[in-house]
Amino acid sequence: MPEFISNGVRLYYEEAGEGMPVILLHGLGSSHAMFRQEMDFLKNEYRVIAIDCRGHGKSDKPVKFTLNDHIEDVIALLDHLGIKKAHIIGVSMGSYIAQGVVLAHPDRVEKLVLVVSKAHGKTSSTQELLTRYADELEGIEEQKQMEYLSKYVFHNLPAIQKWQEEMAQIEPELSLTEMAAANKALEGFDFRSALPTVTAQTLIISGSYDGLNPPVRGQELASLIQNSTFVEFEQSGHAPNVEEPEKIITTVSAFLKK
């Protein structure tokens, strides 16, 4: 089983293909499995590596960790694999980690792709959503609350439901305690003052119907990163890779090639 140790925590990853390395960083509560489609496509031209971030998937699940731990884990992964420089693609939580990596180690990032992202947050976007709709959630058991809120997060709900069912067969959901720790790690980050120093070519993708990180947050990122391109997916919410899968593959592939 491909794994390595980062600051005492065992982390799992999968890789495929050869060529310029591409690191895939998943969203909150997810795992490397969310990138099956992307890995299958990109492995034809790239060395594609998808990690289970700490607290997720097959990796260890400490009771407490931070966004900076996630950032250091990516550098540890690069060092473990002997990779000096890579493209980094981050989705939601993964995009916050990607920003931290390019800011702390700009020499390790070739191109940057930030999907359904934001530049700062007092809490995780998930916790923010739960707070916003607290009145509606009254009486709904905690493990069912995000399912109820899907209508505020996604656009193509049938595709999302099918995808979530498939993911559940691959990776068990995080427990409430594990999810609370993962949420806690995303509290209080703010990269806005540092983002103008980013020189890596950056692609920023938002979904028009995204109730977690709406397009205005992606546009803010684009205004702060000078060498960036902003694209809004008009038939997507918070999961363009599920809601418009062909479009995201072609958009990202063209960006990496140009």
Side-chain angles (χ1 to χ4, degrees):
M1 189 165 80
E3 57 184 41
F4 67 105
I5 303 297
S6 176
N7 292 325
V9 174
R10 181 190 58 84
L11 300 174
Y12 176 84
Y13 66 94
E14 291 194 359
E15 68 171 305
E18 297 179 355
M20 179 71 188
V22 178
I23 307 298
L24 302 176
L25 303 175
H26 63 77
L28 180 69
S30 190
S31 74
H32 75 279
M34 72 168 286
F35 291 118
R36 289 181 305 165
Q37 169 195 264
E38 288 80 1
M39 290 190 77
D40 282 346
F41 184 86
L42 293 172
K43 71 182 182 182
N44 296 315
E45 296 186 56
Y46 303 94
R47 180 186 182 187
V48 192
I49 303 119
I51 185 176
D52 281 352
C53 297
R54 63 172 59 207
H56 296 75
K58 293 183 174 69
S59 292
D60 285 346
K61 298 176 178 64
V63 296
K64 185 177 181 181
F65 50 95
T66 67
L67 179 57
N68 194 59
D69 289 326
H70 286 312
I71 294 164
E72 291 181 358
D73 291 343
V74 175
I75 299 303
L77 173 65
L78 295 177
D79 291 343
H80 171 73
L81 295 174
I83 295 171
K84 292 183 178 180
K85 201 167 192 176
H87 301 313
I88 298 186
I89 301 173
V91 177
S92 195
M93 178 188 80
S95 73
Y96 319 152
I97 300 169
Q99 290 175 65
V101 171
V102 76
L103 289 170
H105 301 273
D107 57 314
R108 307 297 294 269
V109 180
E110 183 66 30
K111 289 186 178 182
L112 191 62
V113 180
L114 306 175
V115 184
V116 293
S117 191
K118 64 181 181 181
H120 61 99
K122 290 183 179 180
T123 68
S124 74
S125 296
T126 297
Q127 189 57 51
E128 184 183 328
L129 189 76
L130 290 166
T131 301
R132 189 185 314 151
Y133 295 103
D135 290 345
E136 288 187 39
L137 294 171
E138 205 168 314
I140 300 175
E141 60 180 284
E142 201 168 341
Q143 286 182 315
K144 295 289 186 181
Q145 290 182 356
M146 285 307 297
E147 182 181 330
Y148 172 83
L149 293 175
S150 290
K151 59 187 177 182
Y152 298 120
V153 177
F154 305 111
H155 180 56
N156 188 341
L157 292 176
I160 293 296
Q161 183 176 359
K162 181 182 177 184
W163 176 72
Q164 289 175 335
E165 290 170 355
E166 290 173 353
M167 291 298 103
Q169 297 298 315
I170 299 171
E171 298 281 2
E173 289 185 14
L174 298 183
S175 70
L176 293 177
T177 300
E178 291 166 347
M179 192 64 182
N183 263 308
K184 186 74 174 174
L186 304 183
E187 288 185 354
F189 76 92
D190 192 340
F191 294 131
R192 285 175 291 183
S193 64
L195 285 172
T197 67
V198 173
T199 57
Q201 289 185 47
T202 303
L203 173 64
I204 299 160
I205 297 173
S206 293
S208 295
Y209 295 88
D210 187 354
L212 281 175
N213 288 335
V216 65
R217 295 182 176 180
Q219 290 164 351
E220 179 183 38
L221 270 171
S223 73
L224 294 168
I225 301 175
Q226 296 181 26
N227 194 10
S228 67
T229 301
F230 174 76
V231 179
E232 183 170 335
F233 279 31
E234 296 180 352
Q235 300 302 317
S236 289
H238 195 65
N241 60 309
V242 178
E243 299 173 270
E244 295 183 81
E246 292 181 4
K247 183 174 181 178
I248 199 164
I249 283 290
T250 56
T251 301
V252 170
S253 180
F255 170 73
L256 294 180
K257 286 179 179 178
K258 75 175 183 179

